[in-house]
Amino acid sequence: MPLPQTLTLSEAAADIRRTSGRHTRPFFFMVGAGISSPPVPLASAIVEDCRKQCAGLVPPDRQSPMAAYMWWFGKAYPSRADRQRYLQSLIEKKPITDANLRLAHLLLGGKFANLVVTTNFDDFISKALTLFGETHTVCDHPHTVLRVNPERDDLQVVHVH
C-alpha cells in the first residue's frame, strides 16, 4: 500500500469539490481536543495539573499516554462528581474557538456532511451551530443514542467518551 500523500490546500479543496459533486453529504467530521484548544487545555496539560495535585505518587511503569491520563485523572479526582466539576471548570465561560466556528460554517446547509462525532466534553460545536442559527440534534449521553440516524437529513452532533 502506498504511503499517504500530503496535499496542498488547493489540491484538497479540489478533491472535496469533485467528491461533493458526486455524492450527497459524502463526509462526516471526527473532531477531538485540538478543535477546542487553547481555551480548553489538552490532555497533556490536564495530566500535568493532576500530577501537581498528587505530588509524591508514583505511576505504574511504562504507561501509554491514555493510561497515564486515566491514572492521574482518577488519582487527582477519585469521584465522578469531582471529575465532572473539574472538567466543567476548564470549559465553562470559555469562548468558542475559531476552529469550532469554522467547522460550524462548513456544516451550514448540509452540503458536505450532516454528522459530527467528537470526543470532546465541551459543547462548542453546538454553541457555534446555534450562533449561526443552524438547528441540530445532539447525542451526548448513552440514553440519547437513539437520536442519531445517519439516514436523516438533519445535522447531528455525537459526543463519544
Side-chain angles (χ1 to χ4, degrees):
M1 176 186 287
L3 291 174
Q5 178 184 2
T6 301
L7 302 175
T8 66
L9 180 58
S10 61
E11 290 169 329
D15 282 356
I16 290 170
R17 277 193 297 278
R18 278 192 298 278
T19 300
S20 64
R22 292 190 290 262
H23 305 283
T24 303
R25 289 186 309 273
F27 304 104
F28 79 95
F29 289 93
M30 176 72 193
V31 297
I35 198 170
S36 297
S37 177
V40 176
L42 298 173
S44 58
I46 292 172
V47 167
E48 283 308 308
D49 185 45
C50 292
R51 281 181 190 222
K52 288 175 187 172
Q53 292 185 50
C54 299
L57 282 183
V58 179
D61 287 338
R62 298 188 182 129
Q63 289 183 305
S64 70
M66 178 57 81
Y69 173 85
M70 292 170 53
W71 192 86
W72 284 108
F73 197 42
K75 294 298 181 186
Y77 301 98
S79 79
R80 180 179 177 186
D82 288 341
R83 290 188 296 272
Q84 287 174 338
R85 266 191 296 280
Y86 175 72
L87 290 172
Q88 183 179 5
S89 76
L90 297 177
I91 296 167
E92 71 182 357
K93 298 184 182 174
K94 295 293 178 13
I96 302 169
T97 62
D98 289 348
N100 275 285
L101 291 167
R102 287 182 179 121
L103 175 58
H105 191 255
L106 284 172
L107 293 165
L108 297 177
K111 182 176 180 185
F112 296 111
N114 71 328
L115 178 63
V116 176
V117 178
T118 180
T119 57
N120 294 349
F121 292 99
D122 66 68
D123 60 351
F124 291 168
I125 186 60
S126 186
K127 286 180 177 179
L129 289 166
T130 300
L131 186 67
F132 287 131
E134 186 73 24
T135 59
H136 57 284
T137 301
V138 176
C139 171
D140 58 0
H141 188 276
H143 290 127
T144 61
V145 74
L146 293 176
R147 294 179 185 172
V148 180
N149 180 349
E151 301 301 318
R152 290 190 349 215
D153 288 333
D154 64 324
L155 184 54
Q156 300 163 79
V157 178
V158 179
H159 291 262
V160 292
H161 17 78

